[in-house]
Amino acid sequence: MIQRIQTLYLLLIAGLAIAMLFLPLAVIRSGDVFYTFDASGMSTMTTPAKLVYPTWALMALAGIISLLALITVFLYKKRVLQIRLCVFNAILLIAFYGLFAFFVWKIAGQSEMFRFSVRIALSFPLVALIFTYLAIRNIGADEVLIRSLNRLR
């Protein structure tokens, strides 16, 4: 299980998704007030951080992505199911960007002076998508190898 490279890819995907839950994805400036936008929502940057606009769907999606990657690690004997779950996880990663864009568009429509700057955590779904592709390729290679060995018996 751990000696396969796709296991490391899947663990990296889970780690990146967990990091997306806690790191700020963007900083928003509306007038003279600054807000941080993370997976739980948009909150003020003052000392007692106050949640202004909750985005629980984004947080749930990041949690599902990390949980699905961890579940996929332990299905190493069912390679076809592993590939299908990785493809579904890739779709969820793309949906994360779509949902993030929707929330930013909705917030931008409520403010007349809107400045938006992204943080490094917003690139994590893209990196996780690349790792998902690499995991799918390696799981497929294992499946081809196992099928070729079965033909020799």
Side-chain angles (χ1 to χ4, degrees):
M1 177 177 77
I2 195 68
Q3 65 268 31
R4 296 171 36 202
I5 189 71
Q6 57 264 27
T7 303
L8 296 176
Y9 292 146
L10 291 169
L11 289 175
L12 284 171
I13 293 166
L16 288 171
I18 290 171
M20 287 186 307
L21 286 171
F22 299 109
L23 294 175
L25 301 171
V27 173
I28 297 172
R29 179 180 175 200
S30 179
D32 292 335
V33 183
F34 287 93
Y35 300 99
T36 59
F37 190 93
D38 55 2
S40 64
M42 187 172 82
S43 56
T44 59
M45 292 183 87
T46 58
T47 303
K50 179 182 165 191
L51 189 64
V52 178
Y53 188 81
T55 58
W56 299 113
L58 203 60
M59 187 171 192
L61 194 58
I64 290 169
I65 289 168
S66 66
L67 189 64
L68 190 61
L70 285 176
I71 289 171
T72 307
V73 168
F74 296 106
L75 295 173
Y76 59 92
K77 290 186 179 182
K78 300 177 182 178
R79 286 169 298 281
V80 176
L81 179 62
Q82 235 182 355
I83 290 173
R84 288 181 182 160
L85 288 177
C86 283
V87 168
F88 183 66
N89 209 3
I91 292 169
L92 289 179
L93 285 165
I94 294 169
F96 183 86
Y97 274 129
L99 195 59
F100 177 78
F102 171 74
F103 283 131
V104 169
W105 173 72
K106 193 158 178 141
I107 291 170
Q110 297 174 356
S111 177
E112 65 281 343
M113 280 284 296
F114 181 78
R115 300 276 181 173
F116 177 76
S117 65
V118 297
R119 295 291 176 240
I120 191 71
L122 194 58
S123 67
F124 289 172
L126 180 63
V127 174
L129 195 60
I130 293 168
F131 284 143
T132 303
Y133 170 73
L134 292 173
I136 289 170
R137 277 188 48 197
N138 286 311
I139 294 167
D142 279 356
E143 182 65 22
V144 168
L145 179 68
I146 295 298
R147 287 187 186 199
S148 71
L149 292 176
N150 284 339
R151 272 184 289 193
L152 293 175
R153 287 183 191 176

